């Protein structure tokens, strides 16, 4: 019997591992569909950002209540995964609580700590569900929070609750079985789950064994399934946040990335540099589709938690404009996933006639941005929606000459009178004649 | 008023200690011109050896870059850099956060590296060094003033305290809006919005912000940016409060209290 369980477990692990690996490779390939950009400088600062913001969750604490609840889930996730390690070893070797004899008196302490964390996770998830669905916190209900993003968030929270319940039930039945069979090693009193023991006490031993096993399988299969699910979900931020905070922009927020292709052309035009011998095909100016963005913008899209902190601070969105920085990130990711799916099917990929600009994001949205950086400041994982907005504007202005008419007039004024308004450059110094 | 040009100084074989970059708004916009004049008054009073570019100055290219026209931005930037480097300019002060940001953060990518300082920081330093002496019991003593953070000073360049310290030197009662410093609400003009009508929406951003500023009960709204000046002034007008509440630049407040 035990050997059957072992075989089934190893099989499950292999299948899950295969699909998870598939997805990881897909996401990696998708991110590198973006334009090359080398980000190898200032490693210390990058590491510091990763430690403070991803590991330390610094920016989350701007809003204390969700920060504390989120911190429970986050710590719970990190620590309870240590327990999963034992699950996996037990599963492969067909043992039961293999670490207990080795850890001695530490084992009950550790397991009790896991239980307390599990309880904290459970409580936090319940409160989060209430905040989302009963209190209807506005940022979870804005326009881009269509049925799938809302379902995604609720699925994650419910799954976590179910997984935690499984731990408690498993530990409770295990403790009863310890009094009935040698096979169940003594774990000492597990404080929280022992409260469930009276409910299970009546059950006969075989039922208890079934319950214990069921919960064990439920938990481990649940976690494997969850890991796979996460790769399709906004929950991917649990891994991506670390990468994104590391690779995030370090320059002052007001700085806009330079376009070296343009620099070369302008220098030639001004006679500051000789024309390139073989004119290189510059590709698109700015971005029309996700593949025109830098890889780190695409990484950012996979890191977005859809929390809406950016949108809730965006002056355009607050005054009823269509622009929502969160939607910019969600659209980028959705479009990238669409391309990835097509590539998986050996389809046309990015050449399917669809584009990020137009099919996902409209000009009305990008034109509403004041480049105020409120979204960048608000994002707990250092995502920069503004960079994407500006790349799209660059495409519209330079490839389509499709900017709003008043902007085209402004361009013309700068070109001819060196000021955004139509004044004569000769009058520029007239202010000094005042008084 | 004494505002020498760099060319004037060069003719005498001199260079300024600091170049005052006036900017397009400060040169052409009637309201912003008064700020330029106020700032020059302060420079004169303090006796700093400064100069302006006069008609040799041109748009930094900020609105072009933010509206997506990178070619135009770089043309402007490169021409300006040639002029600045030609005069061996080392230090620049400006009253416009957009010019400040562009010259400080973006010109280095194109070969223009200078010490750039915004007038809020500049004024704060002059006050701290005792070079600016304000009248005892000045006009703003005890008056409620609120400060509207410019995005291009604040979030873009982390300058939050300097303008506030300048206001405190006036002995004024500085009252903060709920959205201030890192969470300050934009006036609505940045990102080249100044040069077009807003997109469709429920409300104009500057009206939203003016309401918040008026809500503090302040009689003066202090700004440190010519675009914020326009937007906040229009917002206050929209609420028909222009008789009671004035929008003023830091330089004007200091110049009035000299
Ligand atoms: S930078 Fe643009 S998108 Fe971001 S908050 Fe400001 S207006 Fe909104
Ligand atoms: S971009 Fe950042 S702030 Fe905005 S929804 Fe995504 S994670 Fe939240």
């Amino acid at each position: 019997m035990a050997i059957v369980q072992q075989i089934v477990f190893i099989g499950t692990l292999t299948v899950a591992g295969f699909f998870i690996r598939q997805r990881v490779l897909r996401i990696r390939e998708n991110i590198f569909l973006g334009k090359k950009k080398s980000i190898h400088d200032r490693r210390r600062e990058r590491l510091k950002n990763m430690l403070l913001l991803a590991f330390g969750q610094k920016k989350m604490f701007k809003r204390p209540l969700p920060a504390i609840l989120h911190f429970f889930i986050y710590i719970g996730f990190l620590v309870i995964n240590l327990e999963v390690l034992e699950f996996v070893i037990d599963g492969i070797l067909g043992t039961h609580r293999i670490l207990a004899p080795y850890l001695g008196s530490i084992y009950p302490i550790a397991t009790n700590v896991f239980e307390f964390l599990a309880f904290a996770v459970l409580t936090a998830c319940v409160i989060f569900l209430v905040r989302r669905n009963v209190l209807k916190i506005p940022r979870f209900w804005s326009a881009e929070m269509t049925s799938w993003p809302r379902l995604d968030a609720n699925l994650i929270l419910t799954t976590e609750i179910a997984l935690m319940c499984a731990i408690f039930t498993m530990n409770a039945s295990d403790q009863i079985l310890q009094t009935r069979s040698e096979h169940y090693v003594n774990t000492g009193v597990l404080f929280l789950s022992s409260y469930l023991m009276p409910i299970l006490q009546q059950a006969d031993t075989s039922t208890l064994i079934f319950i214990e096993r069921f919960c064990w399988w439920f938990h481990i299969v649940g976690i494997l399934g969850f890991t796979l699910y996460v790769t399709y979900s906004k929950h991917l931020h649990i891994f991506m946040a670390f990468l994104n905070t590391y690779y995030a922009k370090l320059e002052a927020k007001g700085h806009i990335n330079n376009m070296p292709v343009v620099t070369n052309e302008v220098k030639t035009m001004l006679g500051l540099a000789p024309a390139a011998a073989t004119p290189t095909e510059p590709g698109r100016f700015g971005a029309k589709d996700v593949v025109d963005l830098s890889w780190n913008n695409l990484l950012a899209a996979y890191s977005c938690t859809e929390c809406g902190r950016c949108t809730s601070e965006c002056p355009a969105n607050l005054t009823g404009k269509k622009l929502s920085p969160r939607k910019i990130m969600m659209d980028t990711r959705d479009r990238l996933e669409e391309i990835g799916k097509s590539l998986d099917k050996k389809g046309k990929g990015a050449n399917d006639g669809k584009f990020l600009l137009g099919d996902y994001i409209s000009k009305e949205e990008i034109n509403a941005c004041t480049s105020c950086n409120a979204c960048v400041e608000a994002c707990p994982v250092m995502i920069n929606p503004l960079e994407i907005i500006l790349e799209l504007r660059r495409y519209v202005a330079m490839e389509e000459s499709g900017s709003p008419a008043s902007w085209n007039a402004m361009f013309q004024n700068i070109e001819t009178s060196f000021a955004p308004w139509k004044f004569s450059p000769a009058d520029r110094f007239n202010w000094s004649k005042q008084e | 008023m004494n505002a020498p040009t760099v060319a004037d100084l060069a003719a005498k074989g001199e260079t300024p200690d600091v170049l005052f970059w006036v900017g397009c708004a400060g040169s052409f916009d009637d309201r912003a011109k008064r700020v330029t004049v106020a700032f020059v008054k302060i420079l004169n009073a303090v006796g700093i050896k400064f100069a302006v570019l006069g008609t040799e100055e041109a748009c930094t290219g900020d609105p072009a870059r933010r509206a997506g026209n990178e070619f135009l931005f770089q043309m402007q930037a490169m021409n300006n850099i040639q002029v600045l480097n030609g005069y061996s300019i080392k230090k620049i002060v400006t009253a416009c956060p957009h010019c400040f940001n562009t010259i400080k953060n973006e010109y280095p990518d194109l070969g223009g590296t200078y010490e750039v300082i915004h007038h809020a920081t500049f004024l704060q330093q002059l006050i701290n060094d005792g070079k600016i002496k304000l009248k005892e019991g000045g006009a703003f003593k005890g008056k409620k003033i609120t400060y509207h953070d410019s995005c291009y000073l604040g979030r873009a360049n982390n300058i939050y305290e300097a303008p506030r310290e300048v206001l405190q030197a006036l002995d004024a009662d500085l009252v903060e809006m709920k959205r201030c410093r890192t969470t300050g609400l934009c006036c609505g003009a940045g990102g080249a919005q100044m040069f077009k009508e807003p997109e469709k929406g429920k409300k104009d951003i500057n009206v939203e912000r003016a309401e918040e500023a008026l809500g503090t009960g302040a009689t003066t709204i202090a700004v440190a940016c010519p675009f914020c000046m326009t937007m906040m002034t229009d917002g206050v007008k929209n609420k028909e409060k222009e008789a009671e509440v004035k929008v003023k630049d830091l330089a004007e407040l200091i110049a009035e209290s000299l």
Side-chain angles (χ1 to χ4, degrees), chain A residues 251-302:
Chain A
E251 288 93 349
K253 289 194 191 70
H255 172 267
I256 291 183
N257 296 329
N258 196 46
M259 289 180 71
V261 226
V262 174
T263 310
N264 294 341
E265 289 201 25
V266 171
K267 278 196 171 153
T268 321
M269 271 152 73
L270 294 173
L272 296 173
T278 43
T280 42
E281 184 55 48
R284 254 176 220 145
F285 286 119
K288 186 180 191 187
D289 206 352
V290 286
V291 292
D292 305 322
L293 294 166
S294 296
W295 69 269
N296 63 315
N297 295 140
L298 305 183
L299 173 72
Y302 276 118

Side-chain angles (χ1 to χ4, degrees), chain A residues 62 252-260 262-267 269-270 272 285 313-322 363-364 366-374 377 390 393-394 397-398 403-404 406-407 410-412 414-415 418-421 423-429 431-435, chain B residues 1 3 5 22-28 33 36-37 40-41 52 54-55 57-59 63-72 74-76 78-79 82 101 105-106 109-110 151-152 155-157 160 179 182-183 185-186 188 190-205 208 227:
Chain A
K62 283 186 178 175
K253 289 194 191 70
H255 172 267
I256 291 183
N257 296 329
N258 196 46
M259 289 180 71
V262 174
T263 310
N264 294 341
E265 289 201 25
V266 171
K267 278 196 171 153
M269 271 152 73
L270 294 173
L272 296 173
F285 286 119
E313 305 262 336
C314 171
N317 191 275
L318 285 172
T319 52
K321 277 80 175 175
K322 256 196 178 165
K363 284 190 196 173
E364 183 182 339
I366 57 170
N367 286 346
C369 174
T370 73
S371 72
C372 73
N373 270 303
E377 179 74 42
L390 289 168
R393 279 191 186 176
R394 281 175 166 169
M398 293 191 283
S403 304
S406 29
W407 275 358
M410 178 261 289
F411 296 153
Q412 208 163 26
I414 295 181
E415 248 177 85
F418 311 118
W421 300 284
F423 289 107
S424 160
D427 294 341
R428 189 176 265 275
F429 197 31
W431 59 265
S432 68
K433 299 187 189 98
Q434 281 186 346
E435 283 179 80
Chain B
M1 185 178 29
T5 62
V22 182
C24 298
S27 303
F28 292 116
K33 276 198 271 189
T36 307
V37 171
V40 168
K41 216 190 237 170
V52 296
T55 50
E57 194 186 278
C59 174
R65 179 171 246 194
R66 273 138 193 93
N69 195 335
E70 183 72 7
F71 270 104
L72 185 53
Q74 293 205 10
M75 289 292 279
Q76 289 299 116
M78 244 106 51
N79 280 322
Q82 275 188 296
N101 177 70
N105 296 321
E106 297 177 357
D109 292 336
L110 299 167
C151 305
Y152 273 79
R155 280 184 294 267
N157 288 292
Y160 299 108
R179 292 176 281 197
T182 53
T183 54
L185 185 77
C186 177
Q193 294 299 326
M194 185 71 193
F195 305 101
K196 71 186 244 308
E197 287 303 311
E199 300 303 309
K200 273 203 308 297
K202 293 197 298 272
K203 198 177 189 178
D204 283 343
I205 298 174
E208 167 86 13
F227 295 160

Side-chain angles (χ1 to χ4, degrees), chain A residues 159-263:
Chain A
T159 312
E160 291 197 50
I161 292 174
L163 289 175
M164 296 307 122
C165 289
I167 289 192
F168 286 122
T169 318
M170 180 187 85
N171 283 352
S173 33
D174 194 291
Q175 282 174 88
I176 301 172
L177 287 168
Q178 284 168 32
T179 61
R180 299 188 191 172
S181 153
E182 283 288 294
H183 176 71
Y184 293 88
V185 277
N186 187 13
T187 58
V189 179
L190 302 176
F191 184 75
L192 288 174
S193 55
S194 62
Y195 281 100
L196 294 176
M197 285 165 65
I199 309 171
L200 298 164
Q201 213 49 281
Q202 309 307 322
D204 57 48
T205 302
S206 59
T207 314
L208 278 180
I209 293 178
F210 177 79
I211 292 176
E212 195 276 337
R213 280 294 84 193
F214 180 83
C215 289
W216 188 91
W217 278 95
F218 181 84
H219 191 75
I220 188 70
V221 173
I223 287 213
L224 292 173
F226 190 70
T227 312
L228 182 61
Y229 175 74
V230 155
T231 67
Y232 292 95
S233 150
K234 64 136 186 164
H235 221 55
L236 193 54
H237 76 272
I238 54 180
F239 303 110
M240 293 305 204
F242 290 87
L243 293 177
N244 197 62
T245 45
Y246 184 85
Y247 287 110
K249 187 174 171 133
L250 293 177
E251 288 93 349
K253 289 194 191 70
H255 172 267
I256 291 183
N257 296 329
N258 196 46
M259 289 180 71
V261 226
V262 174
T263 310

Side-chain angles (χ1 to χ4, degrees), chain A residues 79-144:
Chain A
V79 176
I80 295 172
N81 272 337
L82 293 176
E83 194 179 24
V84 173
L85 194 72
E86 187 186 40
F87 273 62
V88 172
I89 303 173
D90 279 344
I92 295 172
L93 302 181
T95 47
H96 184 74
R97 295 194 186 261
I98 188 168
L99 297 180
Y102 297 102
L103 294 180
S105 59
I106 299 175
Y107 193 84
I109 299 176
T111 314
N112 267 307
V113 169
F114 294 150
E115 281 202 352
F116 272 101
L117 285 170
F119 188 71
V121 171
L122 202 146
T123 320
C125 287
V126 172
I127 300 178
F128 275 155
L129 276 176
V130 172
R131 274 167 59 90
R132 272 180 189 268
N133 301 294
V134 183
L135 301 178
K136 303 210 172 177
I137 304 281
R139 68 184 155 101
F140 301 131
W141 289 83
S142 35
E144 66 273 19

